[in-house]
């Protein structure tokens, strides 16, 4: 059975920030969320460069190596961010997180750098399929913090790597998929302030993707939304004959 990806995106600058440094792309088989950093306007520029650099993968034929295609596009984005920093010293330190999902047949490639996330909901169960590159996640891995402790930790937003013109190591995995799978890609503006149980309940409750995305943004605003928040809600459906 051939599968197609149906997706919508929503974004909000939140209740505190004066600008939105997130960037998002929804294509035919590629989804990307990037969360810029480095201050206005450098964070916006970094996430924009990244999304535009990676978006070209959506127009490429399926090579059978989706992770390598994403990694190559990230390398291009990294070079362009490095060049942008070299052009203006005020941009020094700018960078961006990224989480990306690329459909390839009956599998998806999921790749991330930083703390923007990708989740899979299958048969009502929610699974985080990316791993945060953060200080608190390292402490969770070491058994020093519980996941609940990490959510409330004052340094929860401290990323240990990002795409910012220097070396980085993206984490990627291939995930077998089936019709009925639902994916959520989001910046940490959602995942830092809305618990996974609430995210899961929202994904289950609203089958309409546009409504679901809007409800996820609403949950973030109810939580105070001190950060920008961006979400993509995507469903895998059988292709029409």
């Amino acid at each position: 059975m051939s599968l197609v990806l149906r997706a919508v995106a929503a974004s909000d600058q939140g209740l505190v920030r004066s600008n939105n440094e997130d960037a998002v792309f929804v294509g035919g088989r590629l989804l990307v969320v990037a969360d810029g950093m480095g201050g206005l306007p450098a964070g916006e520029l970094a996430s924009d460069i990244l999304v535009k650099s990676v978006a070209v993968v959506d127009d490429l034929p399926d090579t059978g190596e989706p992770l390598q295609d994403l990694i190559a596009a990230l390398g291009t984005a990294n070079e362009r961010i490095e060049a942008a920093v070299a052009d203006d010293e005020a941009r020094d330190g700018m960078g961006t997180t990224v989480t990306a999902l690329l459909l390839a047949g009956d599998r998806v490639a999921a790749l991330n750098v930083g703390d923007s996330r990708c989740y899979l909901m299958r048969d009502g169960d929610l699974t985080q399929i990316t791993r945060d590159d953060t200080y608190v996640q390292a402490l969770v891995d070491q058994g020093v913090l519980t996941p609940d402790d990490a959510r409330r930790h004052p340094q929860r937003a401290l990323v240990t790597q990002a795409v910012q013109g220097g070396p980085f190591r993206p984490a990627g995995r291939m995930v077998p998929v089936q019709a009925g799978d639902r994916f959520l890609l989001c910046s940490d503006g959602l995942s830092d302030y809305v618990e996974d149980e609430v995210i899961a309940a929202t994904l289950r409750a609203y089958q309409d993707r546009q409504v679901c995305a809007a409800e996820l943004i609403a949950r973030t605003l109810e939580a105070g939304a001190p950060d920008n928040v961006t979400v993509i809600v995507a469903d895998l459906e059988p292709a029409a004959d």
Side-chain angles (χ1 to χ4, degrees):
M1 178 193 301
S2 297
L3 298 171
V4 293
L5 201 57
R6 308 292 189 197
V8 300
S11 188
D12 195 285
Q13 73 181 36
L15 301 175
V16 175
R17 300 291 182 88
S18 60
N19 65 314
N20 193 340
E21 295 183 322
D22 290 355
V24 63
F25 175 80
V26 173
R29 64 190 190 100
L30 173 67
L31 311 173
V32 187
V33 169
D35 181 355
M37 60 189 71
L40 191 156
E44 289 181 34
L45 177 61
S47 61
D48 183 65
I49 289 172
L50 185 139
V51 164
K52 288 178 177 176
S53 299
V54 177
V56 299
V57 175
D58 194 57
D59 295 322
L60 299 177
D62 187 348
T63 64
E65 297 290 343
L67 272 178
Q68 293 307 312
D69 294 340
L70 289 175
I71 290 169
L74 274 190
T76 299
N78 198 48
E79 292 172 358
R80 291 173 178 171
I81 289 171
E82 183 179 26
V85 171
D87 285 343
D88 185 347
E89 64 180 18
R91 298 171 180 163
D92 186 39
M94 85 172 186
T96 180
T97 72
V98 60
T99 187
L101 191 78
L102 180 62
L103 177 63
D106 60 355
R107 303 180 300 163
V108 293
L111 181 144
N112 80 295
V113 181
D115 60 354
S116 294
R117 291 182 177 180
C118 181
Y119 294 89
L120 165 64
M121 173 160 278
R122 177 177 292 168
D123 299 327
D125 294 325
L126 188 69
T127 304
Q128 183 181 333
I129 61 173
T130 54
R131 178 189 174 280
D132 296 345
D133 293 317
T134 59
Y135 170 71
V136 294
Q137 182 61 53
L139 296 180
V140 170
D141 293 345
Q142 296 165 21
V144 176
L145 292 179
T146 67
D148 282 345
D149 292 336
R151 183 181 296 279
R152 294 185 293 270
H153 197 282
Q155 292 180 293
R156 62 183 177 273
L158 180 60
V159 296
T160 53
Q161 65 168 352
V163 184
Q164 51 189 159
F168 66 92
R169 296 182 63 184
R173 61 184 292 194
M174 297 300 301
V175 180
V177 292
Q178 60 192 41
D181 285 349
R182 170 166 277 195
F183 290 93
L184 168 67
L185 282 71
C186 64
S187 60
D188 69 330
L190 177 72
S191 54
D192 274 357
Y193 303 100
V194 180
E195 295 183 356
D196 282 2
E197 292 80 3
V198 176
I199 292 173
T202 306
L203 290 169
R204 284 192 294 264
Y206 300 96
Q207 290 306 303
D208 183 287
R209 289 178 289 274
Q210 196 76 55
V211 173
C212 187
E215 288 293 329
L216 288 166
I217 298 291
R219 299 292 83 76
T220 311
L221 295 173
E222 288 169 1
D227 198 359
N228 308 145
V229 56
T230 299
V231 302
I232 299 174
V233 177
D235 296 312
L236 276 174
E237 301 176 352
D241 293 333

